[in-house]
Amino acid sequence: MSDIIRLLPDHVANQIAAGEVVQRPASVVKELLENAIDADAREISLIVKDSGKTLIQVIDDGKGMSTMDARMAFERHATSKIQSADELFNLSTKGFRGEALASVAAVSHVTIKTKRPEDDLGTTISIEGSKVIAQEPAVAPVGTTVSVRNLFYNVPARRKFLKSDNVELRNVTNEFHRVALAHPKIHFKFSHNGSDLFNLPAGTYRQRIVNVMGHKVDDKLVEIKEETELLNIHGYIGKPEYARKTKGLQYFFVNDRFIKHSYLHHAVSSAFEGLLSQGSNPSYFLFLDVPPDSVDINIHPTKTEVKFEDEHSLYAIIRASVKHALGQFTINTIDFQKDTELDVPYEVSRSAIKSPRIEVDPDFNPFNDTGSSRKVHQHIQKPAGSWESLYAGLDDTSVLHDETVTSPRNSTSLFNDDVEQTGSSIFQLQRKFIISTLQSGLLVINQHRAHERVLYEQLLRQLTVQNGVSQQLLFPVKINRSPDEVDIVKQLQSQLESVGFLFGIIENNVIEIQGLPLDLKEPQVEPLLDVVIKSEQEQVPQQQDAQLQRMAAQLAGQMAIKTGEQLRVEQMQQVIDELFACEEPALSPAGKKVFITITGDTLSSKFDH
């Protein structure tokens, strides 16, 4: 029997390796930017076309490469960063595997032009699918320019699974942010299809965060700085009141390398315990400096997952540092000149607010001594001999026990405070359920889910026929978000306008809203946009119908009547009427039960025991 195990050809091995290192255009951007940083560049430009599918070009002014180095850089496991296995545990550079450029060249057309300061001429090399097509001397500035064209041209299956241009550009932008935030002393530029997206001059960490995320972020940052034997931590955390539903502004950097670490993220989140509402996420830009030999960054090809030698101690330090920074911020914001006598007492502020009730006796007639009013007046009518007689008898306790006038505290009723009495066959229970009588029994409706179903079907029709009605705002609302989140809103602009939104400026870091759907209140706008953005960031590719249904469900969930909201009889009746005019009244958009019926037989069975 002949041998069946053979060595793979180099170009096949490179394509397999590329599957680990090069997953999408953003992967190429990350590797090329990190190589430019390792070359001690002071200015780096990223040029992208068609979200990286057509062109990814990185230009740096670093130290360049010799002719031999430029050729060797595209060989597998060729690197200038390490010489022995021991150095894997004491790394201070970015690219050290020696696989990135070889993997990129295996699935694209690559051209590199490079020159060292001491050389008169530079070198140009062209590679297609791991094969060197040309190599020749060239006039070039000091530094290196790498151009990657037609990514995955020879692996159509990989290219087919790339997402839309908007999604891929978002991933490229995220990688650019991660690298740029970690190196504020380097001047970064980024352009896409000829348009300049970012121009980030060298500066401090705070300046870089503000330039990337927008100027309004500056007022929301609290500085954090701690130095210990195990860890030096510096950076910024977001003020609790600016926490959002999305997780976009959460960045961990270890030795100037972006990482993802759920355990350390929990340390930050736990420090915010009690300061954030449910579902809100803290924002942070934290830079950790640890000894290189205490962290292993070689456990994953993307190098975003790392392993620390003493994670438990780092957890405690990070949590304590964030708590300390929050404590300092809280102390600095206390108003010691405030008149505490004007504060609402705690027990009052925590109690439920009840609307005052006005009770009117329809039979009362001040000119008639008969009827119900006479029973009250007979206790207080005295001979009008003096003005004191007008008040005589008011201390008579019999008034309080009269069969007509009773004290609210001592009165009993079939309804307690959880039941809103309306004098109608419809009433509200616990400000959560709408109860209505039927011939066969009772109808119990979940008010939030019912209104959610009504709005869902209305919004879905508006998204389909583009006929949403808007309410114009007297003063436009301006919301500050990161550029990639603003880009998501810009992509969804036509769909949001079809349900009633009116937009002004949508660019850079600002979303200006000039009009809202009729059922949407102004305080709901920002949380609603956060939900839409988060869903779009986490979505998988869907057909148009499914995408519209998802958006309608998100909008309806935010706009619907909430549990705890008191309704008038007319409002409850309207919800009932509109619910049973829906195509699917029994289920909410999430598939949950909207109402139940309780028959008379069911009630009778409760009294059989």
Side-chain angles (χ1 to χ4, degrees):
M1 208 175 160
S2 60
D3 298 331
I4 61 174
I5 297 179
R6 298 180 181 86
L7 288 174
L8 287 171
D10 286 343
H11 70 281
V12 177
N14 285 339
Q15 287 187 8
I16 295 173
E20 295 182 348
V21 179
V22 185
Q23 300 174 349
R24 53 173 27 107
S27 307
V28 178
V29 170
K30 176 180 184 293
E31 298 293 346
L32 297 185
L33 290 178
E34 289 183 346
N35 283 340
I37 292 168
D38 284 341
D40 297 329
R42 295 293 89 194
E43 183 172 320
I44 301 173
S45 296
L46 171 63
I47 301 171
V48 174
K49 290 184 179 179
D50 300 329
S51 303
K53 297 175 184 178
T54 301
L55 172 68
I56 300 171
Q57 187 178 60
V58 173
I59 306 170
D60 70 66
D61 62 351
K63 54 191 177 184
M65 290 182 284
S66 66
T67 301
M68 182 59 70
D69 285 345
R71 180 67 177 266
M72 287 294 294
F74 290 91
E75 297 295 329
R76 289 191 69 195
H77 308 302
T79 180
S80 62
K81 314 300 172 57
I82 61 173
Q83 302 296 327
S84 65
D86 293 339
E87 295 182 54
L88 285 173
F89 302 99
N90 194 22
L91 290 165
S92 59
T93 57
K94 307 290 184 184
F96 57 87
R97 291 172 177 269
E99 290 181 324
L101 289 178
S103 298
V104 171
V107 292
S108 63
H109 298 157
V110 178
T111 301
I112 183 171
K113 183 181 289 187
T114 183
K115 178 180 176 293
R116 296 182 300 180
E118 62 268 27
D119 294 335
D120 295 328
L121 287 175
T123 301
T124 297
I125 300 176
S126 298
I127 302 174
E128 295 181 3
S130 296
K131 295 181 180 180
V132 178
I133 304 301
Q135 177 175 347
E136 56 188 8
V139 176
V142 173
T144 302
T145 298
V146 181
S147 303
V148 178
R149 293 181 171 84
N150 306 321
L151 187 62
F152 298 132
Y153 80 99
N154 55 351
V155 192
R158 295 294 302 279
R159 191 174 180 88
K160 182 177 69 174
F161 280 99
L162 291 178
K163 296 185 178 179
S164 66
D165 284 356
N166 290 328
V167 174
E168 294 300 341
L169 178 61
R170 196 180 310 147
N171 290 322
V172 169
T173 304
N174 286 339
E175 288 295 348
F176 176 80
H177 286 171
R178 293 166 182 176
V179 175
L181 287 170
H183 300 88
K185 294 182 180 179
I186 300 177
H187 185 179
F188 283 93
K189 297 179 181 178
F190 178 20
S191 67
H192 177 250
N193 291 342
S195 300
D196 293 334
L197 300 183
F198 292 94
N199 185 358
L200 309 174
T204 64
Y205 283 102
R206 189 178 192 119
Q207 290 171 337
R208 178 55 53 87
I209 293 170
V210 171
N211 287 336
V212 170
M213 299 301 170
H215 293 286
K216 289 190 176 180
V217 175
D218 195 18
D219 297 332
K220 304 175 183 179
L221 299 177
V222 177
E223 187 174 11
I224 177 172
K225 188 173 183 180
E226 297 289 343
E227 295 183 0
T228 67
E229 294 181 0
L230 295 177
L231 164 72
N232 291 338
I233 176 172
H234 65 96
Y236 300 88
I237 54 177
K239 296 177 182 177
E241 59 264 36
Y242 295 114
R244 300 186 298 171
K245 299 296 181 183
T246 59
K247 298 181 179 180
L249 303 183
Q250 296 180 342
Y251 292 87
F252 262 123
F253 299 90
V254 172
N255 297 345
D256 293 335
R257 183 189 301 276
F258 174 80
I259 67 164
K260 297 178 180 178
H261 205 288
S262 58
Y263 187 58
L264 298 187
H265 168 75
H266 187 271
V268 178
S269 300
S270 63
F272 277 84
E273 186 176 2
L275 299 175
L276 302 181
S277 60
Q278 187 174 6
S280 298
N281 297 285
S283 301
Y284 55 81
F285 304 84
L286 297 181
F287 301 85
L288 315 179
D289 296 324
V290 301
D293 58 354
S294 68
V295 57
D296 184 1
I297 60 177
N298 196 31
I299 63 174
H300 193 274
T302 63
K303 293 168 285 188
T304 56
E305 298 179 17
V306 300
K307 182 68 176 177
F308 292 97
E309 184 178 10
D310 188 358
E311 291 184 343
H312 295 291
S313 297
L314 296 183
Y315 181 100
I317 294 172
I318 292 172
R319 186 174 185 273
S321 300
V322 174
K323 271 187 169 292
H324 177 69
L326 288 171
Q328 293 294 317
F329 161 70
T330 304
I331 291 173
N332 292 336
T333 56
I334 294 177
D335 185 1
F336 291 99
Q337 304 300 319
K338 183 179 178 182
D339 188 353
T340 56
E341 293 183 359
L342 300 178
D343 289 345
V344 178
Y346 176 80
E347 61 274 10
V348 175
S349 65
R350 302 295 292 177
S351 61
I353 299 176
K354 298 182 180 179
S355 301
R357 295 180 180 177
I358 301 175
E359 297 182 358
V360 179
D361 182 0
D363 297 326
F364 175 70
N365 186 344
F367 303 102
N368 186 2
D369 290 339
T370 62
S372 59
S373 59
R374 185 175 183 180
K375 298 178 181 179
V376 179
H377 287 287
Q378 66 186 359
H379 292 287
I380 62 174
Q381 289 177 346
K382 303 286 183 181
S386 64
W387 65 268
E388 293 92 348
S389 64
L390 294 175
Y391 299 95
L394 287 182
D395 58 345
D396 189 350
T397 57
S398 63
V399 174
L400 297 178
H401 299 282
D402 186 85
E403 58 180 336
T404 307
V405 181
T406 59
S407 171
R409 291 187 180 180
N410 296 331
S411 65
T412 60
S413 172
L414 293 176
F415 299 96
N416 55 26
D417 290 338
D418 290 333
V419 178
E420 300 297 335
Q421 301 180 54
T422 63
S424 169
S425 60
I426 303 174
F427 61 92
Q428 193 178 22
L429 177 63
Q430 297 178 339
R431 299 192 179 182
K432 180 177 182 181
F433 302 105
I434 298 172
I435 312 295
S436 178
T437 57
L438 301 172
Q439 285 186 348
S440 59
L442 294 176
L443 175 68
V444 183
I445 300 174
N446 184 304
Q447 67 186 39
H448 173 72
R449 294 180 187 176
H451 197 217
E452 193 177 13
R453 163 53 66 176
V454 171
L455 291 176
Y456 170 74
E457 295 196 6
Q458 291 176 357
L459 291 166
L460 199 55
R461 286 193 295 270
Q462 292 171 6
L463 285 167
T464 305
V465 299
Q466 310 279 313
N467 67 342
V469 181
S470 300
Q471 51 179 336
Q472 190 80 23
L473 295 176
L474 185 60
F475 301 102
V477 176
K478 290 188 177 181
I479 299 174
N480 183 254
R481 287 293 178 266
S482 63
D484 57 319
E485 293 176 334
V486 173
D487 187 55
I488 291 174
V489 175
K490 188 180 294 185
Q491 296 165 27
L492 300 174
Q493 180 176 353
S494 61
Q495 296 173 1
L496 291 171
E497 287 179 343
S498 69
V499 297
F501 280 93
L502 291 178
F503 291 98
I505 300 170
I506 307 180
E507 59 184 16
N508 299 328
N509 300 92
V510 179
I511 303 168
E512 184 184 68
I513 300 174
Q514 299 176 342
L516 300 176
L518 290 178
D519 292 309
L520 189 66
K521 300 179 179 64
E522 193 171 318
Q524 297 175 309
V525 175
E526 204 161 345
L528 174 59
L529 283 183
D530 285 340
V531 171
V532 172
I533 291 170
K534 180 181 179 182
S535 175
E536 194 67 18
Q537 288 173 333
E538 297 174 351
Q539 73 156 329
V540 296
Q542 292 178 312
Q543 294 184 354
Q544 181 70 10
D545 290 347
Q547 189 178 18
L548 294 179
Q549 290 171 6
R550 189 187 72 251
M551 176 170 284
Q554 292 164 351
L555 293 169
Q558 290 293 314
M559 295 164 59
I561 295 167
K562 301 295 186 290
T563 296
E565 204 170 324
Q566 185 175 349
L567 304 179
R568 299 190 305 274
V569 176
E570 313 87 75
Q571 292 175 307
M572 291 187 281
Q573 185 64 59
Q574 184 178 357
V575 170
I576 295 173
D577 294 342
E578 292 180 344
L579 174 64
F580 288 100
C582 291
E583 295 180 6
E584 185 59 68
L587 298 174
S588 71
K592 296 180 179 179
K593 188 178 295 186
V594 172
F595 65 86
I596 63 170
T597 57
I598 303 175
T599 65
D601 293 339
T602 303
L603 291 173
S604 297
S605 66
K606 301 296 182 182
F607 295 93
D608 291 341
H609 303 289

